[in-house]
């Protein structure tokens, strides 16, 4: 019970810090998201809670670029694999029409399980070697545009 209360308190503190812009968006990401939204449908597939995800998107004025956010809680799923599956299903698509862009092994696993293409980002939260199994790994946001242009 104490651990659950601690987690709730920690989440609340993190959301508060994000809302005060005490975090940092990686350089080039807001511009990349704006550009991508002109030609692609964007979804935020995160293990974070709804409050956290929505606070980030709202605080940094990014919410307008994304389809409605699905979360582990809203979809009653346990992990990112199932969450990506929910996005694909709710949008009447197949996995092969989606590209998962992420910085963690759980992103790669979600893409593989759902038959999606994957672009790994090594400037994010991933530990050294965490994305070694990815076919495509990029070093900067600009690289994502280049890779996507070859995937069409």
């Amino acid at each position: 019970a104490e651990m659950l209360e601690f987690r709730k308190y920690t989440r609340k503190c993190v959301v508060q810090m994000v809302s005060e812009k005490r975090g940092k968006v990686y350089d080039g990401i807001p511009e990349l998201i704006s550009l991508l939204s002109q030609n692609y449908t964007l979804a935020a597939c995160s293990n974070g809670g709804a409050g956290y995800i929505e606070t980030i998107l709202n605080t940094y004025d990014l919410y307008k670029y994304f389809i409605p956010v699905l979360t582990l809680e809203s979809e009653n799923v346990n992990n990112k694999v199932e969450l990506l599956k929910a996005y694909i299903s709710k949008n009447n698509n197949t996995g092969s029409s989606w590209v998962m862009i992420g910085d963690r092994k759980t992103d790669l696993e979600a893409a593989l399980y759902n038959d999606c293409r994957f672009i790994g980002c090594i400037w994010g939260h991933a530990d050294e070697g965490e994305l070694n199994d990815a076919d495509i790994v990029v070093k900067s946001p600009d690289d994502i545009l280049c890779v996507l242009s070859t995937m069409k």
Side-chain angles (χ1 to χ4, degrees):
E2 283 183 26
M3 186 57 134
L4 184 59
E5 286 303 313
F6 176 74
R7 284 189 184 141
K8 285 181 184 177
Y9 174 76
T10 303
R11 276 192 213 119
K12 185 177 176 183
C13 289
V14 169
V15 168
Q16 180 66 35
M17 288 172 27
V18 169
S19 70
E20 295 168 356
K21 291 191 174 184
R22 291 168 59 191
K24 183 181 183 314
V25 177
Y26 290 107
D27 291 339
I29 293 299
E31 298 82 3
L32 175 65
I33 289 171
S34 176
L35 278 171
L36 290 176
S37 72
Q38 295 172 23
N39 297 305
Y40 300 93
T41 300
L42 304 182
C45 190
S46 172
N47 288 329
Y52 176 70
I53 299 164
E54 291 179 1
T55 299
I56 290 172
L57 295 179
N58 283 319
T59 299
Y60 296 100
D61 197 30
L62 300 172
Y63 206 94
K64 62 190 173 199
Y65 300 117
F66 291 83
I67 60 175
V69 174
L70 304 180
T71 64
L72 300 178
E73 301 93 347
S74 73
E75 301 309 301
N76 197 29
V77 296
N78 298 309
N79 55 51
K80 207 175 282 185
V81 167
E82 295 173 1
L83 185 58
L84 180 56
K85 184 177 181 179
Y87 268 117
I88 293 166
S89 174
K90 285 187 183 244
N91 288 280
N92 298 315
N93 297 127
T94 60
S96 60
S97 65
W98 285 65
V99 178
M100 172 69 114
I101 301 171
D103 62 356
R104 299 305 308 257
K105 187 169 185 155
T106 56
D107 300 319
L108 173 59
E109 291 166 349
L112 291 172
Y113 182 85
N114 286 289
D115 194 32
C116 300
R117 292 165 290 173
F118 178 75
I119 300 173
C121 305
I122 60 170
W123 69 84
H125 293 91
D127 294 326
E128 180 80 28
E130 188 171 337
L131 297 176
N132 282 353
D133 293 335
D135 291 332
I136 301 169
V137 177
V138 295
K139 296 179 181 175
S140 75
D142 290 338
D143 294 342
I144 293 172
L145 291 173
C146 295
V147 170
L148 285 173
S149 70
T150 68
M151 288 185 161
K152 293 195 174 196

